[in-house]
Amino acid sequence: MIGIILAAGRGSRLQKLTKRTPKCLIKIDDESLLEKIIKNFKKNKINKIYIVTGYKSKLINFPVVNKICNSKWRSTNIFYSLNCCDRLLRKEECLISYSDIIYDAKCIKKLILAKEDISILSNQNWKSLWKKRFKNPLSDLESFKTKGKYLDSIGNKVNNIKSIEGQFMGLFKIKPSGWKKMKKHQKEEYNNNINKLDITSFFKTFIKNKKNKISVKNVRYFWHEIDFNRDYNLARGKIEL
């Protein structure tokens, strides 16, 4: 099992916090987001870890991990960063984490146990968190529905909270057989033009083909996303979580 952390972006919505440092290096309780994620991987005995870097890549230095640089980070999105790991994804079972989230290490254990080609985690505690993050939660939330144990809808704008059964957490696992299907869809749907593509949007079109399955694992463990200054203050305890 290989761990991959996607950390190429700047995180411009955090304004001054990321002016001189990558988003993944901002600290919560004297520990960077990246350090927290690496610890979570190691707690689950995932010791072979790769970080996809981009913005201020030279500042990201951890002797226990390998770096893959997305040299096009200025003009590309997170799905392109995932493709920078193509040689790993083709051969190894990979557990992938966004770099702007903090979460309980048990989340990773849930994914390790998943048997399907592609598996994602769904946050079941999203309602309480989103009420703290946004005055109008529906202004940011997107559809997330399942059919049986598989993803049925993701990434659509919604007007009704009933369209949301959970929330994609930026944590997922891909087996080589799953990556093969994703590469096929990437070619057929996007003609490999993926520079501006985010992962949620990819999953949205991927599951339209009923042959493409994404397994959903529900969790209620601690999880928090840091997109805005308010999120940062929430995580630091300045606003009660």
Side-chain angles (χ1 to χ4, degrees):
M1 178 81 68
I2 286 177
I4 295 173
I5 305 169
L6 303 175
R10 174 182 171 178
S12 58
R13 288 180 291 186
L14 287 170
Q15 302 168 331
K16 291 180 180 179
L17 281 173
T18 57
K19 187 175 182 179
R20 294 184 175 86
T21 186
K23 184 179 183 180
C24 61
L25 292 185
I26 63 172
K27 291 189 175 183
I28 307 293
D29 300 327
D30 298 320
E31 193 172 49
S32 71
L33 301 181
L34 208 47
E35 287 173 302
K36 291 179 181 294
I37 295 168
I38 291 169
K39 279 188 175 181
N40 281 348
F41 279 164
K42 289 190 169 294
K43 282 180 182 178
N44 285 279
K45 298 182 179 179
I46 299 175
N47 296 311
K48 197 171 182 180
I49 303 170
Y50 290 80
I51 301 174
V52 182
T53 63
Y55 176 64
K56 296 192 179 294
S57 177
K58 291 181 180 179
L59 297 180
I60 301 173
N61 292 298
F62 293 88
V64 295
V65 301
N66 306 280
K67 284 169 63 172
I68 298 174
C69 185
N70 174 2
S71 59
K72 297 181 178 180
W73 68 268
R74 288 180 181 84
S75 59
T76 61
N77 208 332
I78 194 167
F79 190 76
Y80 185 93
S81 288
L82 182 63
N83 268 263
C84 290
C85 303
D86 180 64
R87 67 178 180 85
L88 302 173
L89 290 156
R90 286 176 182 270
K91 297 178 180 180
E92 304 276 358
E93 194 168 313
C94 296
L95 199 150
I96 300 108
S97 174
Y98 287 9
S99 62
D100 59 354
I101 52 179
I102 50 178
Y103 50 89
D104 194 304
K106 293 175 184 176
C107 294
I108 289 178
K109 185 175 181 180
K110 186 88 171 183
L111 277 177
I112 288 173
L113 296 172
K115 305 295 185 183
E116 295 82 5
D117 287 343
I118 306 167
S119 301
I120 67 175
L121 292 188
S122 168
N123 176 18
Q124 297 296 291
N125 295 325
W126 59 271
K127 282 185 183 179
S128 58
L129 176 58
W130 247 245
K131 285 178 182 178
K132 291 181 173 67
R133 293 185 70 200
F134 302 98
K135 290 182 180 179
N136 175 17
L138 285 176
S139 66
D140 183 77
L141 285 165
E142 298 175 327
S143 68
F144 190 102
K145 297 193 77 173
T146 57
K147 191 172 183 179
K149 64 177 184 177
Y150 294 106
L151 187 64
D152 188 56
S153 173
I154 189 172
N156 296 306
K157 288 297 180 183
V158 296
N159 297 314
N160 192 321
I161 209 160
K162 291 181 180 179
S163 297
I164 307 167
E165 297 176 352
Q167 182 201 18
F168 175 48
M169 298 167 61
L171 284 163
F172 54 109
K173 187 176 78 171
I174 305 173
K175 293 185 177 181
S177 52
W179 184 242
K180 184 177 180 180
K181 293 174 184 176
M182 289 175 68
K183 292 291 283 188
K184 183 174 184 287
H185 180 72
Q186 174 181 308
K187 182 178 180 181
E188 293 175 349
E189 178 74 18
Y190 300 100
N191 195 26
N192 291 322
N193 182 15
I194 58 167
N195 284 16
K196 299 297 184 181
L197 189 62
D198 63 83
I199 288 170
T200 298
S201 296
F202 178 86
F203 285 160
K204 177 181 174 179
T205 61
F206 182 75
I207 60 173
K208 285 184 178 179
N209 182 339
K210 299 304 180 184
K211 293 181 180 179
N212 294 332
K213 303 289 186 182
I214 298 177
S215 172
V216 177
K217 310 299 180 185
N218 296 327
V219 296
R220 293 188 179 274
Y221 304 126
F222 170 76
W223 177 90
H224 185 61
E225 180 179 24
I226 299 175
D227 273 343
F228 305 98
N229 284 301
R230 181 175 177 82
D231 300 329
Y232 178 63
N233 288 327
L234 276 166
R236 293 171 69 208
K238 289 192 174 183
I239 303 173
E240 186 181 350
L241 269 172

